[in-house]
């Protein structure tokens, strides 16, 4: 039995009057990967932020290597060998990769920054992780997935003994996840102990040694992973009721040869992404699978008018539409739930309510005036919270204080209200807990059942397989196949299709 | 393998940061234009050009610190007032004691204290920098008027006047030499030191700077301190050049500094910046002012044209930024 490298005892934490953690114990053994599981808002990130000195605890004790420690800030945490990869990306977008990796602990020579050394060292760290990228690139030129890898590099560069990964795979594609797992295993061999937070159960079952489950700020159980399985974890998560919350594919009724709601012909976005043609039937859920950078997001963004198309036509309900900006797109009946909720989906400084009603304001006016009805707005927001089971103590709470998954639900709610004809979702369940995931999938199905169209981009093949009627695969900017869901027998089959050139 | 590809394509589209170079392009265009149009009015003479540099020395020096301020996502409206007050203090101390050393100490102390107060208002009392420094601007400018009841204070100490204003060394005016010195120091701090990177980090993403163990409040306070000290020094130069202290020195300088810094490629929202760009931005503004006078425009016309040119220059640099998408 190896000893505990880190122990947290009787941790309590509240924000204002809201209690977030109640008497939580947590123990991390040396050299293990310990999964921390719980619904959105259960308090996982908060517990870990206490450990890294971002938040202070109200009461409780923290021991590292048996010694009681008082971690006040991130510097203390670093000195104790703790590093964390935050759920909210924590890179400075205007600075280079190398500068970010060494932010806060720059290498110096004669009192000046040693740029060459930092560049060289960054390159080494990145290469070790199998990432070959110029460390002088600015972070705002990178995709979300790549930024995530840089974040990991940054944490590793600190030679941490304890590494906390808060939903590191939420925006990674499957192949990148594989790469990350390789890194995790390697770190484990080097003796690093890790806390791994994720909502993806198959990842947890495959990578972790033990698991702790939190529910509504309380610890439910800690156990070896061998003693757990998917059903057990889920039942602990939701609290007893073992109703089938796993999502399985059910063939949906829709007229596959019916009218097209959307027809995309020879769309050209840039030199790499072109010859994009596909149709979407009324009531159909179409999935787009592909590696990161294969052009999935770009297609959605172009249809939504955020990118300019260089050629090709888009027909909506048989009529050619010429969409120049997102306002045109919304008017014609498109909705886009974007990939990066914090940057694209939400106004972070605003309340849940103002975010939820933002695209809907025109329909919330008092009579014929131009004034917004408070009453109607409040009702709409409250309704959203109920419908999607959003966890917040009030509709007036600032959205950046909600847990990640709950923020995502607000983005979805916001667009559902608009009642679009074609709903496009880019990684809609990234960072969403199982319960909410099931709900979101249910919402997508119901929406399609009304005879509307859905386009779903997801890096999680399981998710695509559980909801889509048809899946398009993309490789390097081209569509490589279009397969009916009922003809796909296993995830491997789809995985192979995705990687085929 | 896939990541390699990304780096390649991103490199291709994104590596040229036009907005950073825009100021140089605009500068060259303007300069060429003025040379052609105003050549016969003496624009290109050595005398005129050196004169422009002398006149812009104070703005240039304040713009060094201004780059730090704006790159860290802050704003400092007190600089013009601090320059005036510092000039008043310096000339009063010289009048009473004739000690250059004491005068400098008192002038710079003013810069330190006002910078410190700004920093504390912004970090500890969480007042938005625009409001905090606007209030302080009023307080300081008012004090400069009050201290002598708006009367000017002449400086008789010629050593002071020569070293800090009207002298020459090896044919170059001291004002230009001071500017060069401040820029060397500024460029080194900004590009070479950890503090410089942390300034950018705070402006680029405050939250992540905090998560990385950077003391955000400390950085902000130092940045305001710097701004105060640099402005106080600019005031000393004003006093030396005019051989007097006057409450009206540096009026509107805060805006010129912001314009110069932003023209120079520093983003108003923080996170990017260039000290050398700020120098070119300041000189560009000086050149424009000078050209408008040479062209014989009335002061009303000058004000209008100057405004238009600044807006156009900023539009240009924004345009080139947008094309990236
Ligand atoms: N700074 C804060 N101020 C107020 N409330 C907060 C703050 N940070 C978190 N909370 C609240 O604390 C609760 C727990 O949040 P936390 O981020 O720890 O959840 P989580 O388990 O990480 O969820 P997720 O899986 O969605 O990331 C949430 O209800 C959230 O709204
Ligand atoms: Mg979380």
């Amino acid at each position: 039995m190896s000893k505990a490298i880190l122990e947290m005892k009787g941790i309590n934490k509240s924000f204002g009057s809201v209690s977030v953690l109640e008497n939580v114990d947590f123990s991390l053994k040396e050299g293990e990967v310990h999964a921390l599981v719980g619904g959105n808002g259960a308090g996982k990130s908060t517990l870990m932020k206490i450990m890294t000195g971002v938040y202070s605890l109200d009461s409780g004790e923290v021991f590292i290597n048996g010694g009681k420690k008082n971690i006040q800030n991130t510097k203390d945490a670093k000195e104790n060998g703790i590093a964390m990869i935050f759920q909210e990306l924590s890179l400075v977008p205007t600075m280079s990769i190398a500068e970010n990796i060494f932010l806060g602990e720059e290498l110096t020579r004669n009192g000046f920054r040693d740029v060459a050394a930092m560049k060289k060292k960054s390159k080494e760290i990145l290469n070790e992780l199998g990432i070959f990228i110029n460390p002088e690139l600015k972070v705002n030129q990178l995709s979300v997935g790549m930024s995530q890898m840089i974040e990991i590099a940054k944490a590793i560069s600190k030679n941490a003994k304890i590494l906390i990964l808060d939903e590191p795979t939420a925006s990674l594609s499957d192949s990148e996840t594989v790469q990350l797992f390789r890194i995790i295993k390697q770190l484990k061999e080097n003796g690093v102990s890790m806390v791994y937070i994720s909502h993806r159960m198959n990842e947890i079952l495959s990578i972790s040694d033990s698991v702790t489950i939190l529910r509504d700020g309380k610890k439910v159980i800690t156990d070896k992973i061998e003693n757990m399985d998917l059903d057990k974890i889920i039942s602990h998560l939701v609290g007893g009721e073992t109703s089938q919350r796993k999502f399985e594919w059910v063939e949906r009724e829709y007229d596959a040869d019916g009218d097209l709601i959307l027809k995309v012909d020879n769309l050209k976005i840039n030199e790499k992404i072109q010859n994009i043609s596909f149709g979407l039937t009324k009531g159909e859920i179409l999935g787009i699978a592909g590696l990161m950078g294969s052009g999935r997001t770009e297609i959605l963004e172009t249809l939504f008018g955020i990118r300019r198309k260089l050629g090709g036509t888009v027909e909506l309900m048989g009529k050619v539409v010429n969409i120049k900006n997102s306002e045109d797109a919304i008017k014609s009946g498109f909705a886009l739930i974007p990939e990066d909720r914090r940057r694209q989906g939400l106004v972070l400084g605003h309340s849940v309510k103002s975010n939820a009603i933002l695209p809907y304001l025109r329909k919330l006016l008092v009579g014929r005036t131009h004034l917004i009805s408070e009453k109607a707005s409040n009702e709409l927001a409250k309704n959203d919270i109920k419908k999607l089971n959003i966890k917040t103590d009030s509709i007036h709470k600032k959205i950046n204080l909600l847990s990640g998954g709950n923020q995502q639900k607000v983005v979805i709610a916001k667009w559902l209200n608009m009642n679009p004809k074609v709903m496009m979702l880019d990684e809609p369940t990234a960072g969403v807990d199982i319960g909410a995931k099931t709900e979101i999938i249910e919402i997508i199905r119901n929406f399609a059942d009304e005879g509307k169209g859905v386009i779903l981009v997801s890096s999680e093949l399981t998710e695509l397989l559980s909801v889509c009627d048809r899946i398009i695969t993309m490789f390097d900017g081209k569509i490589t196949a279009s397969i009916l869901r009922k003809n796909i027998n296993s995830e491997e089959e789809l995985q192979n299709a995705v990687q085929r050139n | 393998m896939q990541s390699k590809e990304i780096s390649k394509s991103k490199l291709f589209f994104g590596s040229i940061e036009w907005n950073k170079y825009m100021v140089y392009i605009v500068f060259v265009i303007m300069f060429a234009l003025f040379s052609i149009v105003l050549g016969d009015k003496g624009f290109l003479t050595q005398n005129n050009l050196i004169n422009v540099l002398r006149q812009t020395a104070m703005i240039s020096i304040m713009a060094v610190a201004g780059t730090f301020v704006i790159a860290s996502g802050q704003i400092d409206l007190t600089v013009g007032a601090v320059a005036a007050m510092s000039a008043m203090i310096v000339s009063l101390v010289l009048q009473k004691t004739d000690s250059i050393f004491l005068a400098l100490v008192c002038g710079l102390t003013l810069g330190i204290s006002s910078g410190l107060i700004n920093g504390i208002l912004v970090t500890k009392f969480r007042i938005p920098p625009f409001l905090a420094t606007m209030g302080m601007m009023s307080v300081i400018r008012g004090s400069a008027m009050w201290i002598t009841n708006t009367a000017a204070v002449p400086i008789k100490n010629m050593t002071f006047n020569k070293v800090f204003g009207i002298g020459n060394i090896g044919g170059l005016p001291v004002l230009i030499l001071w500017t060069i010195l401040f820029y060397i120091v500024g460029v080194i701090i900004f590009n070479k030191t950890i503090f410089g990177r942390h300034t950018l980090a705070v402006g680029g993403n405050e939250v992540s700077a905090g998560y990385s163990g950077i003391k955000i409040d400390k950085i902000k306070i130092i940045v305001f301190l710097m701004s105060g000290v640099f402005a106080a020094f600019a005031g000393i130069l004003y006093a030396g050049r005019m051989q007097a202290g006057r409450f009206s020195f540096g009026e509107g300088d805060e805006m010129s500094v912001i314009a110069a810094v932003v023209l120079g490629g520093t983003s108003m929202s923080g996170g990017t910046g260039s000290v050398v760009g700020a120098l070119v931005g300041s000189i560009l503004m000086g050149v424009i002012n000078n050209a408008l006078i040479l062209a014989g425009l009335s002061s009303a016309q000058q004000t209008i044209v100057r405004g238009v040119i600044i807006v156009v220059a900023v539009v240009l640099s924004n345009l080139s930024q947008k094309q990236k998408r």
Side-chain angles (χ1 to χ4, degrees), chain A residues 92-96 99-100 138 140, chain B residues 17 19-20 67-74 190 196-206 265-274:
Chain A
V92 181
T94 49
M95 291 171 63
S96 76
E99 285 171 345
N100 266 291
K138 291 257 166 77
N140 57 14
Chain B
E17 288 175 80
N19 56 324
K20 270 208 163 157
T67 306
F68 285 78
V69 171
I70 294 178
S72 66
Q74 312 298 305
F190 197 76
R197 281 310 95 157
H198 287 186
T199 303
L200 280 172
V202 168
N205 184 348
E206 203 174 309
T266 300
S267 151
M268 268 300 246
S269 51
T272 59
S274 156

Side-chain angles (χ1 to χ4, degrees), chain A residues 165-433:
Chain A
L165 301 112
D166 195 351
E167 297 191 35
T169 55
S171 46
L172 297 193
S173 66
D174 284 8
S175 59
E176 287 167 317
T177 304
V178 171
Q179 202 177 356
L180 174 67
F181 279 13
R182 202 176 40 73
I183 295 167
I184 291 182
K185 284 189 187 126
Q186 195 183 324
L187 289 173
K188 197 168 134 180
E189 271 168 30
N190 300 349
V192 179
S193 321
M194 280 167 279
V195 181
Y196 187 87
I197 301 179
S198 175
H199 292 292
R200 298 185 179 178
M201 293 305 145
N202 48 351
E203 290 179 0
I204 287 179
L205 291 167
S206 77
I207 195 81
S208 53
D209 303 306
S210 45
V211 55
T212 291
I213 299 176
L214 288 182
R215 187 170 69 237
D216 296 333
K218 298 189 195 72
K219 188 182 99 170
V220 182
I221 187 174
T222 297
D223 207 340
K224 288 236 165 66
I225 201 73
E226 298 94 83
N227 305 333
M228 284 287 184
D229 60 27
L230 186 57
D231 287 326
K232 273 194 199 152
I233 295 181
I234 293 177
S235 76
H236 283 305
L237 270 180
V238 296
E241 69 178 283
T242 42
S243 65
Q244 275 300 352
R245 302 209 89 167
K246 278 182 286 179
F247 31 89
E248 256 146 34
W249 184 61
V250 273
E251 190 161 2
R252 291 175 53 253
E253 288 285 318
Y254 78 100
D255 184 3
D257 304 315
D259 290 344
L260 286 183
I261 192 164
L262 174 76
K263 187 160 174 261
V264 175
D265 218 11
N266 247 324
L267 190 66
K268 179 172 175 184
I269 298 169
N270 54 38
E271 290 316 314
K272 194 176 127 198
I273 309 168
Q274 50 178 326
N275 289 329
I276 305 292
S277 304
F278 63 88
L280 179 68
T281 325
K282 279 187 178 164
E284 186 179 40
I285 305 177
L286 174 69
I288 304 184
L291 301 173
M292 196 184 76
S294 61
R296 305 166 308 176
T297 297
E298 284 82 353
I299 292 180
L300 299 194
E301 287 182 350
T302 309
L303 290 177
F304 198 63
I306 298 174
R307 277 170 196 275
R308 206 176 306 157
K309 66 168 196 262
L310 295 183
T313 53
V314 177
E315 278 178 39
L316 196 65
M317 321 266 288
K319 271 208 277 308
V320 174
V321 285
N322 197 3
I323 288 165
K324 291 201 202 68
N325 50 45
S326 55
E327 195 184 350
D328 289 354
I330 294 168
K331 272 194 191 137
S332 336
F334 284 103
L336 172 66
I337 289 159
E339 185 178 17
D340 183 349
R341 62 174 163 259
R342 294 181 69 85
R343 220 166 49 194
Q344 304 159 333
L346 296 168
V347 185
L348 285 176
H350 288 184
S351 66
V352 172
K353 170 181 146 188
S354 11
N355 271 290
I357 66 174
L358 188 58
Y360 201 68
L361 291 177
R362 281 214 176 106
K363 303 200 175 104
L364 293 172
L365 300 180
V366 182
R368 293 203 170 174
T369 65
H370 278 275
L371 305 173
I372 297 162
S373 158
E374 270 319 296
K375 196 162 147 261
S377 316
N378 289 346
E379 259 165 37
L380 186 82
K382 281 193 186 128
N383 201 6
D384 287 341
I385 289 178
K386 235 188 9 242
K387 202 162 64 190
L388 299 194
N389 203 3
I390 297 169
K391 199 181 167 205
T392 168
D393 32 310
S394 130
I395 56 171
H396 303 294
K397 188 161 182 161
K398 259 203 195 173
I399 196 117
N400 53 1
L401 298 182
L402 259 59
S403 74
N406 283 304
Q407 292 179 6
Q408 180 69 1
K409 287 198 222 168
V410 176
V411 186
I412 295 182
K414 158 174 151 181
W415 289 108
L416 276 178
N417 291 334
M418 297 298 291
N419 197 14
K421 296 192 185 80
V422 175
M423 178 145 70
M424 303 183 283
L425 305 103
D426 199 351
E427 308 281 2
T429 62
V432 171
D433 68 31

Side-chain angles (χ1 to χ4, degrees), chain B residues 1 15 18 24-25 46 52 58 67 97-98 122 164 222 226 275 292 297 299 324:
Chain B
M1 189 210 89
S15 64
W18 283 107
Y24 304 107
I25 299 171
Q46 193 189 354
V52 170
M58 291 62 142
T67 306
T97 68
D98 210 36
V122 168
F164 295 103
I222 297 179
M226 241 180 107
V275 173
L292 297 181
L297 298 187
S299 113
K324 259 203 287 192

